[in-house]
Amino acid sequence: MSNDTSPTDASATVTPKTGYHHGDLRAQLIAAVRELVETHGPDGFSVAEAARRAGVSSAAPYKHFKDRPEILRGVVSEAMDRLRAAMEAGAAAHPVGSLEAVAAIGLAYVDFARTEPGVFRLVFGLTEGHENAPDLQVKGEGCFGVVVLAAAACLGLPPNTPEVQRRAYMLWSFVHGHSFLHIDMKTKVTTAQIDDWGYLMTISRAILATAAQP
């Protein structure tokens, strides 16, 4: 998947709905901020601009979010839901316990980073206040849990065993690093052509298709 699929540019406007329900307006504001994060970064947009894109007054966002950091946490929360859903869908497209299921989880992760690099950076860069946002911590654990379950199925072990947890962490760290190298355009340092699926299958095989080691 290429960066051509990135969210729309700064001239785009989220189409406002009429007769908003509480949840509709909140979702529209999150969508508007998500677009602005991709265009200007998490520090380069105004709440007023987000409101304009959502087709509401500049005061409207504060009926749903107490301040700018809370709006960004809302964007992160929604993004983590979508990331987990994409990872689960990737796994579901292949047999349970297969290396392909594990690789597909990784591919969903990489694709998310490429398609929404600004939001992806925000998810992993917005650390301030997370101690006061247990819901984000739970969602992060949920995303990692998708990897754990797939690794456990491959290894034939319960998900909570240390060996499964260790190998799931190894999988996550390889894919996470690969994702950031892609969006930072650092993969150009190699003359080799890096194929995502081939890379992810190689990593999955190396980590999971061997006998457990101490």
Side-chain angles (χ1 to χ4, degrees):
M1 188 174 296
S2 70
N3 289 333
D4 292 338
T5 57
S6 296
T8 53
D9 62 24
S11 64
T13 302
V14 176
T15 303
K17 296 178 181 178
T18 56
Y20 276 118
H21 295 292
H22 179 90
D24 295 333
L25 178 52
R26 189 178 192 280
Q28 284 291 104
L29 288 168
I30 286 175
V33 171
R34 191 170 77 229
E35 289 183 357
L36 289 168
V37 165
E38 290 301 332
T39 305
H40 303 294
D43 299 319
F45 73 93
S46 68
V47 175
E49 172 64 8
R52 186 192 69 77
R53 288 192 174 212
V56 297
S57 72
S58 59
Y62 299 104
K63 296 178 182 178
H64 304 276
F65 305 96
K66 68 179 182 180
D67 52 25
R68 180 194 182 93
E70 188 171 282
I71 293 174
L72 290 174
R73 284 197 293 272
V75 172
V76 168
S77 179
E78 187 267 351
M80 294 174 83
D81 287 340
R82 290 187 293 110
L83 176 58
R84 178 174 180 172
M87 293 165 68
E88 290 175 334
H94 300 276
V96 174
S98 67
L99 293 175
E100 287 79 5
V102 176
I105 292 171
L107 187 60
Y109 196 93
V110 175
D111 280 348
F112 187 94
R114 281 180 170 166
T115 304
E116 301 183 49
V119 171
F120 186 77
R121 291 182 194 280
L122 180 63
V123 168
F124 294 100
L126 186 66
T127 56
E128 183 180 356
H130 271 206
E131 66 276 9
N132 299 318
D135 58 316
L136 296 185
Q137 293 180 359
V138 169
K139 289 186 178 189
E141 291 166 1
C143 288
F144 181 59
V146 178
V147 183
V148 170
L149 289 176
C154 274
L155 296 171
L157 295 172
N160 61 347
T161 59
E163 185 63 19
V164 168
Q165 295 285 322
R166 183 176 74 89
R167 296 197 185 206
Y169 176 82
M170 292 168 67
L171 287 165
W172 176 53
S173 61
F174 270 106
V175 175
H176 187 69
H178 181 63
S179 297
F180 266 106
L181 286 170
H182 262 298
I183 64 177
D184 288 338
M185 295 183 289
K186 301 300 185 184
T187 55
K188 294 180 180 179
V189 299
T190 176
T191 57
Q193 188 69 30
I194 306 299
D195 170 69
D196 284 334
W197 184 254
Y199 170 84
L200 293 166
M201 283 296 295
T202 298
I203 294 301
S204 299
R205 187 177 298 109
I207 294 174
L208 298 174
T210 57
Q213 298 295 322

